[in-house]
Amino acid sequence: MLTRIYNIKKACGDPKAKPSYLIDKNLESAVKFIVRKFPAIETRNNNQQLAQLQKEKSEILKNLALYYFTFVDVMEFKLSRRQSLTPFTRRVSHKHSLTKKLAVHRVRYPSMLTEIGFILCHAALSSDAAALSLWKLALQSSSCLCLFRDEVFHIHKSAEDLFVNIRGYNKRVNDIRECKESALSHAGSMHRERRKFLRSALKELATVLADQPGLLGPKALFVFMALSFARDEIIWLLRHNLSVCPEDESIIMSSFVNTMTSLSVKQVEDGEVFDFRGLRLDWFRLQAYTSVSKASLGLADHRELGKMMNTIIFHTKMVDSLVEMLVETSDIPVSPPCRYTAGTFTKCLFLPNIVPSNIQFNLRHHIGDRSLSLCNMFLDEMAKQARNLITDICTEQCTLSDQLLPKHCAKTISQAVNKKSKKQTGKKGEPEREKPGVESMRKNRLLVTNLDKLHTALSELCFSINYVPNMMVWEHTFTPREYLTSHLEIRFTKSIVGMTMYNQATQEIAKPSELLTSVRAYMTVLQSIENYVQIDITRVFNNVLLQQTQHLDSHGEPTITSLYTNWYLETLLRQVSNGHIAYFPAMKAFVNLPTENELTFNAEEYSDISEMRSLSELLGPYGMKFLSESLMWHISSQVAELKKLVVDNVEVLTQMRTSFDKPDHMAALFKRLTSVDSVLKRMTIIGVILSFRSLAQEALRDVLSCHIPFLVSSVEDFKDHIPRETDMKVAMNVYELSSAAGLPCEIDPALVVALSSQKSENISPEEEYKIACLLMVFVAVSMPTLASNVMSQYSPAIEGHCNNIHCLAKAINQIAAALFTIHKGSIEDRLKEFLALASSSLLKIGQETDKSTTRNRESVYLLLDMIVQESPFLTMDLLESCFPYVLLRNAYHAVYKQSVSSSA
């Protein structure tokens, strides 16, 4: 309780530490009102004065709870002490039992109880001569008492102030003044004599008990009395400024001289054991004597004496106290205590020689909430500084790694070519470019780079963080390394997202391969931190990188998974839909098409095999699954629109489904169809998205095959040996496992899940199945219109069409597989029906004479071959039965011939 009251007093005395509510101007009137009325405060009739207080009531109760409960405890203690002292004072007044007890046991050594006790029970001083005599003796022996820490009680002044106001106590006041004068003039010498007596008495007592240990039991009371008397004298000496006589100084100085002159080399040769503790204690005494006021000898005026004695003390410790010397100089916490502040700590944090000792700031403060907050702040600042140094090192390393990227070799190649052909790019020629690695070449040891300075500073700071594994402060355990781990996780997360350089306004983003290079450089630096601090950096990697595979991290912030997913969907694939980018199967990449408005990015640099593998490394299986689900969401929205178009043409499509062998009737029905171009365009978009997903899945499979080859091979074995009679639910589970590993499946489980969520409540399952069938009919009968499009020309170089209609093969197969899996229909039968309708429709354009409608007839014919090649459910024999292979052969010959002539 005393500690709490003391801390509250000190806190309220410090303007910086004082609770803000006590100095808030808005609460000033309320505080004055409470102080004036306390403790009887009426809140009902004074709402205006306490209105502001009511607004902040909860916060005030929360922050001043410690103050409140401390005062409550004080009031309860005061009440209980008052109740217990009432019979006590009555007994003292009438029976003087306390006086007699003190007279018997404490006459020679009056204590605090005697001095304060008779001030409380002053009536006994007038009625009992023994009590008065004992009280005077106590007043003559000391002048002040230490209540708590630096809070003292001046006995004479307090007693005089009390008795002056009591009638008839003039004689007591005079007694107090006489005792004060006596204490000031004689107390020092009296207590000195007592100390002399106690020294000899304690020596005798120790000798007797050492000789006769059996006496310790019956004489234990005298041992404790002697120790308590010695303690009282030491405390008295500390409380009252030490008084010293020239005689004491001369004795100590003579002792120094005698001790030092008596030493000889022969003592060392004889192996004598030295003990200089007495000499060191005398030097301590002399310093204490000369530090008091009015001392005859001042060490400040005799600096040479101080230097010489400190040198002697050091050398004596090296003789008889070497182990203690090592402990004293090597252990940080034994350094002299002083008042550490946040400002001092911040300054020391940037001094290289002081950094390793910064941990001592956390070992100093042990006073309640203030010490906890300071300890937390110091550790947090140390971790932040270490984190900043690590970040700077990572930035340097990322810059060095960036120099090794293939994109920088163009300048080197260009310089080599120009040098060989002796071409000069300018008057003075192109300056020679420094090759990566030059920074590691040192001409001398004195050359210090910025990276060297960062590593040095980091090693010093990490030594401080690693000094203690844990520290206890007010029953709270602090782990300095965890602070660093936490900051590294936060910074690593921000750095990874920052290194994507995503700009939403310009839709720019870093290439996955470049980001992967930077992340690996960053991780290499973080891995090296384990050489400085005992932290589990693998845990940091797992926490951060796993979060980056999700849509949002633990703080709700976007991750690289969400950033790249949005960019590929909203930027790259949107430009494909706009006709500015095409998918080239031969290159397995998306490539920019020559257009009037050049794009701000090169699609190939973001979608080729190496980039997709880098993306898979960064996002991992979870991130790639999220990417797939986002792609499927776009596909499902396109399918929903296609179904609406089917519903609009349901009657015509129903008739065309059964009239494919009637050319004239089919031609008439086809003219009644609406939104034919929209159907083909939406199916092409679906095919483009599925083509991009196939690139992503293939890259994921390649990456996982490197990391977990045995697990991937097991998954492949599962997929390749599914019996045809297997239940579809079981098969879909295997497909889902395979898809997660990047393996291609006959039926795409992600697409099935996405399309399954589209079931309408108002439409029966039979009607849904019919719409799915008619959708395939709609696509099949619409394919001939593609021949009239100029962009439908097949290019052997890219193994596809510039308007991406070659992606229809993938769209038709996977949409059919997913829809008829959902509706439990026969995928093979429906694709056979589609092939029959499509081949019949395409054969009709072979009879057309209008060149505009048959411009790219052969290129469109090839779609049938692509559909069969892409499908696990169709065969070339089936295609031969519907569409003569000779037409396909001639079509390939024609498009290749056309390609050669156009390139020539």
Side-chain angles (χ1 to χ4, degrees):
M1 191 183 299
L2 285 174
T3 303
R4 287 153 59 190
I5 296 173
Y6 178 83
N7 289 338
I8 290 174
K9 179 184 177 183
K10 291 297 181 184
C12 291
D14 185 359
K16 294 182 179 179
K18 192 172 185 178
S20 59
Y21 303 105
L22 302 181
I23 57 176
D24 191 347
K25 292 185 177 180
N26 295 329
L27 300 175
E28 187 175 354
S29 60
V31 172
K32 288 182 179 179
F33 174 77
I34 293 172
V35 171
R36 187 172 66 252
K37 298 291 185 178
F38 188 83
I41 303 172
E42 180 61 41
T43 59
R44 289 176 296 180
N45 299 328
N46 297 277
N47 290 333
Q48 187 174 358
Q49 287 180 300
L50 301 180
Q52 186 65 26
L53 196 67
Q54 293 292 341
K55 295 180 181 178
E56 304 183 33
K57 180 179 178 181
S58 59
E59 283 297 318
I60 293 175
L61 290 176
K62 179 181 177 181
N63 294 313
L64 297 183
L66 180 63
Y67 288 57
Y68 172 75
F69 288 114
T70 299
F71 295 144
V72 169
D73 292 342
V74 169
M75 294 177 71
E76 290 180 352
F77 178 80
K78 178 181 177 182
L79 181 60
S80 62
R81 292 304 95 188
R82 180 179 295 172
Q83 293 173 351
S84 61
L85 281 175
T86 300
F88 176 76
T89 53
R90 189 182 300 117
R91 187 165 60 249
V92 170
S93 301
H94 295 287
K95 300 183 179 179
H96 311 299
S97 59
L98 176 63
T99 305
K100 295 177 182 178
K101 181 178 179 181
L102 292 174
V104 173
H105 296 290
R106 307 284 289 181
V107 172
R108 292 190 62 191
Y109 299 97
S111 66
M112 178 181 175
L113 180 62
T114 308
E115 296 156 335
I116 299 181
F118 283 117
I119 293 178
L120 297 175
C121 309
H122 51 79
L125 299 176
S126 303
S127 59
D128 193 302
L132 180 62
S133 175
L134 183 62
W135 184 57
K136 287 182 178 181
L137 184 60
L139 290 178
Q140 291 172 2
S141 65
S142 60
S143 59
C144 76
L145 293 171
C146 179
L147 298 177
F148 190 79
R149 295 182 182 171
D150 58 351
E151 297 291 334
V152 297
F153 178 74
H154 295 280
I155 306 164
H156 301 92
K157 184 177 183 305
S158 300
E160 186 176 347
D161 293 343
L162 174 65
F163 291 163
V164 163
N165 298 321
I166 301 177
R167 183 178 297 178
Y169 271 65
N170 292 335
K171 191 173 183 180
R172 297 287 84 79
V173 173
N174 294 331
D175 291 340
I176 292 170
R177 292 171 180 171
E178 290 176 3
C179 293
K180 180 179 180 181
E181 293 296 328
S182 178
L184 293 176
S185 57
H186 303 297
S189 58
M190 178 182 67
H191 281 280
R192 182 183 62 189
E193 295 303 320
R194 286 181 180 172
R195 292 196 298 275
K196 288 181 179 179
F197 166 75
L198 286 172
R199 289 191 195 101
S200 60
L202 286 172
K203 287 180 181 178
E204 293 175 1
L205 186 59
T207 303
V208 171
L209 293 176
D211 185 56
Q212 299 292 334
L215 293 176
L216 182 60
K219 299 299 181 182
L221 178 60
F222 290 95
V223 173
F224 292 130
M225 288 174 63
L227 292 174
S228 66
F229 295 157
R231 179 201 61 196
D232 289 344
E233 289 305 322
I234 293 173
I235 291 175
W236 186 93
L237 192 64
L238 293 174
R239 288 175 184 165
H240 301 76
N241 281 332
L242 293 170
S243 62
V244 65
C245 301
E247 180 184 352
D248 294 331
E249 296 175 1
S250 62
I251 293 174
I252 292 175
M253 295 294 289
S254 300
S255 175
F256 290 161
V257 175
N258 294 335
T259 303
M260 300 308 296
T261 55
S262 63
L263 297 176
S264 65
V265 178
K266 190 175 183 302
Q267 291 175 289
V268 180
E269 294 174 348
D270 295 341
E272 183 177 336
V273 178
F274 294 95
D275 187 357
F276 295 107
R277 289 179 296 177
L279 174 68
R280 292 193 289 268
L281 185 58
D282 282 340
W283 171 234
F284 180 77
R285 288 194 184 100
L286 184 62
Q287 292 179 78
Y289 289 157
T290 56
S291 64
V292 300
S293 60
K294 299 180 181 179
S296 57
L297 175 65
L299 283 181
D301 302 326
H302 300 81
R303 293 179 178 272
E304 293 301 321
L305 173 63
K307 292 179 180 178
M308 182 183 66
M309 288 307 302
N310 283 335
T311 304
I312 291 173
I313 294 304
F314 172 75
H315 286 291
T316 59
K317 284 186 176 182
M318 298 299 289
V319 173
D320 68 342
S321 186
L322 187 57
V323 175
E324 289 78 3
M325 188 70 176
L326 289 173
V327 173
E328 179 181 348
T329 55
S330 65
D331 193 17
I332 292 176
V334 300
S335 55
C338 60
R339 185 180 180 185
Y340 292 115
T341 63
T344 310
F345 173 79
T346 304
K347 291 178 182 177
C348 292
L349 197 60
F350 294 95
L351 297 177
N353 296 333
I354 308 295
V355 166
S357 304
N358 275 343
I359 197 68
Q360 66 179 311
F361 283 88
N362 307 295
L363 302 175
R364 293 292 175 207
H365 292 273
H366 298 285
I367 304 177
D369 293 338
R370 186 172 178 82
S371 64
L372 292 174
S373 61
L374 282 174
C375 186
N376 179 69
M377 185 197 71
F378 291 153
L379 290 175
D380 196 57
E381 285 298 324
M382 291 170 66
K384 282 182 181 178
Q385 180 64 13
R387 176 204 66 191
N388 292 338
L389 290 172
I390 294 168
T391 303
D392 292 340
I393 294 173
C394 289
T395 302
E396 293 271 353
Q397 291 293 344
C398 289
T399 302
L400 295 177
S401 298
D402 184 76
Q403 295 175 5
L404 298 175
L405 292 176
K407 66 179 181 180
H408 294 295
C409 69
K411 292 183 179 179
T412 304
I413 296 173
S414 175
Q415 286 180 352
V417 171
N418 291 336
K419 190 174 183 181
K420 188 174 181 180
S421 60
K422 296 182 180 180
K423 290 183 179 179
Q424 299 295 328
T425 56
K427 293 182 179 180
K428 296 183 179 179
E430 188 177 352
E432 190 71 19
R433 180 172 174 265
E434 288 188 349
K435 295 182 179 179
V438 173
E439 69 283 345
S440 299
M441 300 174 64
R442 308 292 180 96
K443 294 183 179 179
N444 57 68
R445 295 175 181 269
L446 299 179
L447 184 61
V448 179
T449 64
N450 184 50
L451 205 55
D452 295 333
K453 296 177 182 177
L454 291 173
H455 277 289
T456 302
L458 179 62
S459 62
E460 296 289 348
L461 187 56
C462 287
F463 175 83
S464 177
I465 294 174
N466 205 43
Y467 185 77
V468 289
N470 299 297
M471 60 179 68
M472 291 291 297
V473 181
W474 286 80
E475 299 181 356
H476 288 72
T477 303
F478 289 88
T479 307
R481 299 166 192 165
E482 288 299 320
Y483 280 78
L484 179 58
T485 301
S486 176
H487 278 288
L488 287 180
E489 287 185 7
I490 295 171
R491 178 54 60 88
F492 190 26
T493 300
K494 291 182 178 179
S495 297
I496 289 179
V497 176
M499 286 188 292
T500 61
M501 296 182 291
Y502 178 65
N503 188 327
Q504 190 172 7
T506 60
Q507 288 297 308
E508 294 177 347
I509 199 168
K511 293 195 294 184
S513 60
E514 294 183 4
L515 176 60
L516 181 61
T517 301
S518 299
V519 170
R520 282 175 172 168
Y522 210 112
M523 292 174 68
T524 301
V525 175
L526 292 182
Q527 193 76 50
S528 68
I529 302 304
E530 291 184 336
N531 299 328
Y532 302 104
V533 186
Q534 295 177 6
I535 61 175
D536 185 5
I537 204 68
T538 304
R539 191 187 78 181
V540 175
F541 292 158
N542 290 338
N543 289 346
V544 174
L545 297 178
L546 281 176
Q547 287 185 36
Q548 291 302 309
T549 66
Q550 305 300 313
H551 177 50
L552 298 173
D553 62 15
S554 58
H555 300 285
E557 297 295 327
T559 61
I560 58 174
T561 295
S562 60
L563 294 179
Y564 274 108
T565 298
N566 290 337
W567 189 86
Y568 277 106
L569 285 171
E570 303 298 331
T571 303
L572 190 143
L573 293 179
R574 188 176 294 276
Q575 294 299 334
V576 177
S577 302
N578 294 337
H580 298 150
I581 298 173
Y583 173 60
F584 286 10
M587 299 175 61
K588 287 192 174 180
F590 287 84
V591 180
N592 289 25
L593 295 175
T595 56
E596 295 180 359
N597 299 324
E598 291 293 330
L599 297 179
T600 57
F601 65 94
N602 189 347
E604 185 180 354
E605 294 181 355
Y606 289 87
S607 61
D608 64 8
I609 294 175
S610 63
E611 294 300 331
M612 296 308 294
R613 285 176 180 171
S614 298
L615 184 68
S616 298
E617 285 274 8
L618 289 167
L619 305 191
Y622 289 114
M624 297 302 284
K625 183 180 180 182
F626 176 80
L627 174 62
S628 295
E629 290 173 350
S630 301
L631 294 171
M632 294 307 163
W633 182 86
H634 281 263
I635 290 175
S636 66
S637 63
Q638 294 291 343
V639 172
E641 295 300 320
L642 286 171
K643 287 182 177 180
K644 292 178 182 178
L645 298 178
V646 171
V647 171
D648 294 339
N649 295 274
V650 65
E651 294 182 3
V652 178
L653 291 172
T654 303
Q655 296 181 44
M656 295 183 78
R657 184 181 183 185
T658 58
S659 305
F660 64 90
D661 55 344
K662 301 173 184 177
D664 296 335
H665 188 52
M666 287 287 287
L669 291 172
F670 182 79
K671 292 179 180 179
R672 293 170 55 189
L673 286 176
T674 60
S675 305
V676 173
D677 292 337
S678 180
V679 168
L680 292 173
K681 186 175 181 180
R682 292 186 184 278
M683 283 297 290
T684 303
I685 291 173
I686 292 173
V688 167
I689 295 174
L690 290 173
S691 297
F692 176 77
R693 181 168 186 264
S694 69
L695 292 180
Q697 288 292 94
E698 183 179 350
L700 176 62
R701 181 185 61 203
D702 294 341
V703 170
L704 292 181
S705 297
C706 294
H707 290 291
I708 47 173
F710 301 108
L711 186 57
V712 172
S713 63
S714 299
V715 175
E716 286 180 342
D717 193 54
F718 269 119
K719 183 180 77 72
D720 295 339
H721 293 85
I722 301 177
R724 284 291 175 183
E725 63 275 8
T726 304
D727 182 76
M728 184 52 68
K729 289 184 179 180
V730 177
M732 289 306 296
N733 289 334
V734 177
Y735 286 150
E736 188 172 356
L737 173 64
S738 304
S739 180
L743 302 176
C745 304
E746 295 181 355
I747 304 170
D748 193 328
L751 187 57
V752 171
V753 172
L755 298 182
S756 297
S757 61
Q758 288 187 344
K759 289 185 177 180
S760 304
E761 296 181 357
N762 300 330
I763 302 178
S764 63
E766 293 77 12
E767 190 68 20
E768 285 278 0
Y769 178 71
K770 180 182 178 181
I771 291 174
C773 295
L774 293 180
L775 173 59
M776 301 305 297
V777 172
F778 206 160
V779 175
V781 299
S782 301
M783 288 178 65
T785 61
L786 295 172
S788 62
N789 191 336
V790 178
M791 298 297 292
S792 295
Q793 182 181 352
Y794 180 83
S795 172
I798 66 174
E799 297 181 359
H801 307 75
C802 290
N803 60 353
N804 292 310
I805 60 173
H806 55 277
C807 295
L808 283 171
K810 195 176 291 290
I812 290 166
N813 278 289
Q814 295 200 24
I815 290 295
L819 286 176
F820 298 118
T821 297
I822 295 170
H823 301 300
K824 299 179 182 180
S826 174
I827 302 174
E828 294 183 16
D829 292 345
R830 298 286 70 77
L831 282 175
K832 288 178 182 178
E833 182 182 30
F834 170 85
L835 197 61
L837 284 166
S839 60
S840 174
S841 301
L842 289 174
L843 284 172
K844 285 188 299 183
I845 62 174
Q847 301 171 358
E848 294 285 342
T849 57
D850 187 0
K851 291 184 178 181
S852 62
T853 59
T854 61
R855 181 183 292 119
N856 289 308
R857 177 178 56 195
E858 288 78 10
S859 296
V860 178
Y861 282 169
L862 300 184
L863 285 178
L864 291 176
D865 185 48
M866 294 179 185
I867 292 169
V868 174
Q869 296 292 343
E870 182 75 27
S871 176
F873 305 98
L874 299 176
T875 63
M876 289 303 297
D877 291 340
L878 183 63
L879 178 61
E880 177 70 21
S881 65
C882 301
F883 194 88
Y885 185 76
V886 66
L887 290 180
L888 284 178
R889 186 178 62 220
N890 293 337
Y892 274 112
H893 179 75
V895 295
Y896 272 86
K897 184 178 178 180
Q898 187 179 4
S899 175
V900 171
S901 61
S902 60
S903 62

